[in-house]
């Protein structure tokens, strides 16, 4: 990385290369490019926090698996956002 010109994290954005939720080996969704990474990570944190709460509910709720499925999908969404941010950071580091 060029120490004279380090990347400004506040200027970095999602790259939009990460797909998630697959149907028959085809991605159904993709992270949108151009979202500031701070906002994207804050959203991922919220998604993962909700997933944790639903997973805890799933442990205690034996009448339905809807909490487990909600946790599954929220986790997939949060992971995709984080993976996309990491891809963007890797690309930025490679450029410097």
């Amino acid at each position: 990385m060029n120490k004279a010109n380090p990347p400004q994290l506040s200027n970095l954005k999602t790259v939009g290369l990460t797909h998630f939720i697959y149907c028959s080996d085809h991605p159904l969704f993709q992270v949108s490019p151009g979202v500031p990474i701070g906002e994207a990570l804050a959203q991922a944190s919220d998604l993962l926090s909700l997933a944790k709460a639903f997973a805890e509910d799933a442990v205690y709720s034996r009448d339905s698996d809807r909490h487990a499925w909600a946790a599954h999908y929220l986790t997939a969404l949060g992971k995709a956002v984080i993976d996309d941010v990491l891809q963007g950071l890797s690309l930025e580091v490679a450029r410097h």
Side-chain angles (χ1 to χ4, degrees):
M1 184 181 321
N2 182 347
K3 291 185 182 197
N5 244 345
Q8 296 296 320
L9 292 180
S10 61
N11 295 333
L12 297 178
K13 302 190 182 317
T14 55
V15 291
L17 299 176
T18 306
H19 299 101
F20 58 100
I21 312 293
Y22 286 78
C23 297
S24 303
D25 296 328
H26 299 289
L28 187 58
F29 299 108
Q30 179 176 345
V31 173
S32 295
V35 177
I37 64 167
E39 292 178 34
L41 290 174
Q43 185 66 51
S45 178
D46 289 344
L47 291 167
L48 294 173
S49 178
L50 286 170
K52 179 181 178 285
F54 276 123
E56 288 171 352
D57 289 347
V59 170
Y60 298 109
S61 177
R62 302 280 184 218
D63 60 336
S64 173
D65 61 356
R66 71 177 175 260
H67 293 97
W69 280 110
H72 167 76
Y73 286 112
L74 289 167
T75 303
L77 291 166
K79 181 184 181 320
V81 171
I82 291 169
D83 288 350
D84 201 75
V85 167
L86 288 174
Q87 282 187 324
L89 290 172
S90 295
L91 292 171
E92 187 63 31
V93 168
R95 278 187 260 197
H96 288 47

